[in-house]
Amino acid sequence: MTGSNSNDKDKQRSGAHRSSRLGSSGNADYVPQRNFEGYGSTPPDPRWPNNARVAVNFVINYEEGAEYSILEGDAHGEVLLCDVAPSEALPGLRSRNVESLYEYGSRVGVWRLLRLFAQRGISPTFYAVGRALELNPVLGEKIAEAKCDTVCHGWRWIDYQFVDAEIEREHIALAVEAIERLTGSRPLGWYTGRPSLNTRRLIVEHGGFLFDSDDYNDDLPYWVDVGGRSHLIIPHSFDSNDSRFARGSGLETAEQFFAYLRDGFDWLYAEGADHPKMMTVSLHCRLVARPGRIVGLARFLDYVLSHDRVWVCQRTEIARHWHRTHSPQSK
């Protein structure tokens, strides 16, 4: 988009400058409840294709340009998930350090990741933020060419607990429209990452989603009731996630990243002899795609591919499989 009129419209559509702490509109009948029991000691057999012991889903988070930004009408810049201290984001001021670190993900990192996965014959899942994809539209074409599935990662990469429900509803529609327009396919899954208590209700109301991933509480999908509708959750992971490079977890090197992913995979693979599970490996273009880090991911891809009885799959494939084999009506 070019020109001052387009920029003004973009800021208005971002909605961040109109956000408020408490949602004030919409039907608030559904509120997420905590569940400490889950499947307990008797998890279901997922019956993965080809009797796989573990389903492995690689996710590329594409957020660059949609993060908190003065240029998008926000009161401050981004503070999360890049290689600088949060103090770089000062109220009312731009930080070119933060901005340019995010730009690395769109200019270099995403293309490096796409090449790596193509070399290994894997089509990963994209968690795509609508606004980010608008700022780099050629990527939408490449996602389609690579036969990746796309999960809607919101309209902006911001914290929606501070956004009014009506604005969040508008953002959901904007995000779905942008991704469908730029990739040629409607997203069938949803992941906000920083959701509000309204998010799940709003995406079910919007309709058209097979699942969302805004929970972290299981190694298998499960069903919840949202306003009388059965809705599938495919839990995401902050564990097997390159965000550990930027969260002060002590993860610093490619070797450490590989070892951590390998150990997690080995445990799930062994456990899968009796109780198969799923593993989500979450990646960020501005983090793991740095030359000194991506070698750890490459080693892990080769390690996974060296095993039999592993289903390397897309997130939408997991959802379709669960709908077929573990529908809520069959319980």
Side-chain angles (χ1 to χ4, degrees):
M1 294 182 178
T2 59
S4 58
N5 290 338
S6 295
N7 288 334
D8 290 342
K9 182 181 290 186
D10 292 340
K11 290 179 182 179
Q12 292 169 4
R13 290 169 70 187
S14 77
H17 64 294
R18 297 183 290 152
S19 65
S20 61
R21 172 106 190 167
L22 297 176
S24 61
S25 53
N27 183 344
D29 290 344
Y30 171 79
V31 177
Q33 300 297 314
R34 302 190 71 184
N35 182 331
F36 294 94
E37 296 180 359
Y39 291 124
S41 62
T42 56
D45 181 353
R47 304 201 297 274
W48 300 134
N50 300 317
N51 199 28
R53 290 187 173 195
V54 60
V56 182
N57 174 225
F58 293 95
V59 172
I60 298 175
N61 294 263
Y62 190 73
E63 302 155 345
E64 283 73 9
E67 75 278 5
Y68 282 112
S69 169
I70 301 298
L71 299 179
E72 291 291 319
D74 303 316
H76 58 83
E78 186 56 75
V79 298
L80 295 180
L81 301 190
C82 64
D83 293 324
V84 296
S87 60
E88 286 280 354
L90 298 175
L93 297 176
R94 292 175 60 189
S95 168
R96 274 303 290 158
N97 286 350
V98 174
E99 290 176 354
S100 60
L101 283 165
Y102 267 79
E103 289 163 14
Y104 186 91
S106 62
R107 293 165 60 106
V108 180
V110 69
W111 308 114
R112 183 171 284 143
L113 285 170
L114 280 170
R115 287 194 297 271
L116 174 63
F117 280 106
Q119 290 164 3
R120 301 308 192 272
I122 297 172
S123 294
T125 292
F126 266 84
Y127 282 4
V129 181
R131 178 63 178 145
L133 212 55
E134 277 200 339
L135 293 169
N136 193 9
V138 68
L139 178 60
E141 300 173 13
K142 296 300 181 182
I143 288 173
E145 288 178 12
K147 300 188 183 326
C148 301
D149 69 325
T150 307
V151 170
C152 201
H153 195 8
W155 171 244
R156 296 286 312 284
W157 168 230
I158 59 177
D159 193 337
Y160 276 90
Q161 70 174 316
F162 301 112
V163 174
D164 183 88
E166 278 304 315
I167 295 173
E168 186 174 6
R169 180 181 284 111
E170 295 171 10
H171 283 202
I172 290 169
L174 284 170
V176 171
E177 185 279 328
I179 290 172
E180 185 169 12
R181 169 166 43 87
L182 294 167
T183 68
S185 298
R186 191 209 187 279
L188 298 177
W190 183 275
Y191 174 71
T192 301
R194 292 187 269 186
S196 74
L197 293 181
N198 296 309
T199 300
R200 184 159 292 154
R201 170 178 61 84
L202 292 174
I203 65 167
V204 171
E205 286 180 6
H206 184 90
F209 296 106
L210 294 177
F211 67 97
D212 82 64
S213 291
D214 272 320
D215 276 323
Y216 308 86
N217 50 9
D218 213 304
D219 292 321
L220 286 175
Y222 61 90
W223 295 95
V224 295
D225 183 280
V226 182
R229 304 183 198 178
S230 295
H231 177 68
L232 184 65
I233 310 301
I234 304 180
H236 191 54
S237 174
F238 282 156
D239 180 53
S240 48
N241 192 316
D242 70 350
S243 66
R244 295 168 65 90
F245 282 117
R247 286 193 279 119
S249 69
L251 187 69
E252 298 290 343
T253 69
E255 177 60 31
Q256 290 172 329
F257 188 53
F258 166 69
Y260 194 84
L261 294 179
R262 178 201 61 208
D263 289 351
F265 173 84
D266 284 349
W267 185 275
L268 291 173
Y269 190 81
E271 188 175 85
D274 300 308
H275 299 290
K277 298 294 194 304
M278 57 172 277
M279 180 179 189
T280 299
V281 180
S282 182
L283 310 166
H284 295 76
C285 308
R286 60 193 175 276
L287 294 176
V288 77
R290 296 284 177 172
R293 294 170 175 168
I294 198 168
V295 62
L297 174 61
R299 289 183 63 190
F300 182 67
L301 292 176
D302 292 340
Y303 186 76
V304 169
L305 293 174
S306 72
H307 289 71
D308 59 5
R309 294 184 62 187
V310 176
W311 184 33
V312 179
C313 56
Q314 297 178 341
R315 212 153 189 86
T316 305
E317 289 181 305
I318 293 174
R320 292 190 187 282
H321 174 81
W322 211 264
H323 276 263
R324 285 194 306 268
T325 61
H326 297 279
S327 69
Q329 291 78 20
S330 66
K331 293 192 296 183

